[in-house]
Amino acid sequence: MNDYSDRQNQIIQESIQLIADKGIQGLTIKNISKAIGISEPAIYRHFENKNEIILAIISTMKDSTNNELFQIDENNPTIEKIKKMIQGHTNRFINNPSLTAIIFSEEIFNNHSILAKPIQMMMRRNQNKMISMIEKGQVAGDVRVDINAEQISLMVIGSFRFLVSKWHIMNFDFDLNKEVNEMLGAIEKVLKV
């Protein structure tokens, strides 16, 4: 768990908003200092550079994901675990829509390999967690076995990613929670034995 100061958390939140508003190129120390109302040297007292700020954003998101995964009851049926995992991500995006600009930023993946790696690792870890849940569900008999667990995870994650990307592109003008729940209902029908 990260232990950022109040000022560091403020810098992280303003940085998320700047990326959402202006793209990754709009995230400059100058823009951050202007948004917060402190000097540029004051920013450097908290973070060495812009990349360190982005890594802090990613680390904060990773901690949030870990908390969500920790709260999933292992005794629930697999479908319920998948729903809980996706609903946790949905709530995080609803509570902080600017995060979508970071998670789904092709610009970060294409132009900033130092920053892309932690996001890729987080995505891989989430997918591996889901694959593991699905495989356990297949062994327990509550998820169909005629579809590979990795393919099921791609269906779930891909559908979720599409909905969140659409929500972001459409300027957050529809009920993401409702759409995600409908998607999860459809996936449940596909996965049930």
Side-chain angles (χ1 to χ4, degrees):
M1 191 72 151
N2 290 315
D3 194 22
Y4 293 115
S5 69
D6 289 344
R7 180 63 83 190
Q8 285 174 313
N9 282 318
Q10 183 184 22
I11 292 167
I12 290 167
Q13 289 306 310
E14 286 296 338
S15 297
I16 291 169
Q17 192 59 51
L18 279 168
I19 293 169
D21 293 343
K22 300 179 180 195
I24 193 74
Q25 70 281 355
L27 183 66
T28 64
I29 299 300
K30 182 177 185 170
N31 286 344
I32 297 168
S33 70
K34 189 186 297 184
I36 295 175
I38 61 175
S39 69
E40 291 179 44
I43 300 289
Y44 288 113
R45 283 196 289 274
H46 299 284
F47 292 101
E48 269 185 43
N49 54 40
K50 181 172 85 168
N51 284 354
E52 192 174 285
I53 293 169
I54 296 175
L55 290 171
I57 292 168
I58 294 166
S59 180
T60 300
M61 291 176 358
K62 187 172 126 185
D63 285 348
S64 182
T65 298
N66 287 342
N67 288 339
E68 291 165 7
L69 294 176
F70 181 74
Q71 293 175 21
I72 294 174
D73 184 350
E74 288 299 318
N75 297 319
N76 282 342
T78 304
I79 304 292
E80 292 307 311
K81 289 188 237 178
I82 291 171
K83 284 181 177 180
K84 183 90 170 161
M85 182 179 188
I86 296 298
Q87 287 165 337
H89 294 329
T90 303
N91 290 334
R92 186 167 358 124
F93 287 130
I94 288 169
N95 291 331
N96 197 345
S98 302
L99 285 176
T100 59
I102 295 169
I103 292 292
F104 302 121
S105 173
E106 299 298 323
E107 197 178 354
I108 289 176
F109 287 104
N110 294 335
N111 300 324
H112 300 277
S113 61
I114 291 172
L115 308 175
K117 190 170 186 120
I119 292 178
Q120 291 166 349
M121 287 173 53
M122 186 171 60
M123 290 170 70
R124 192 173 305 119
R125 193 194 69 219
N126 286 346
Q127 184 179 17
N128 288 339
K129 175 70 175 173
M130 186 172 291
I131 289 169
S132 175
M133 283 192 291
I134 293 165
E135 288 172 341
K136 287 177 185 172
Q138 289 173 323
V139 169
D142 66 342
V143 174
R144 59 192 294 172
V145 295
D146 59 335
I147 304 173
N148 176 288
E150 185 174 354
Q151 292 303 312
I152 293 171
S153 75
L154 290 173
M155 285 178 8
V156 175
I157 294 167
S159 299
F160 177 66
R161 182 181 172 107
F162 174 79
L163 276 178
V164 175
S165 293
K166 177 179 160 188
W167 183 63
H168 175 77
I169 290 166
M170 296 179 76
N171 208 22
F172 318 112
D173 77 345
F174 64 86
D175 185 345
L176 181 63
N177 201 39
K178 178 179 176 285
E179 295 284 330
V180 167
N181 284 331
E182 287 176 9
M183 176 206 77
L184 289 170
I187 286 172
E188 180 175 9
K189 289 177 187 173
V190 170
L191 298 185
K192 274 197 169 176
V193 179

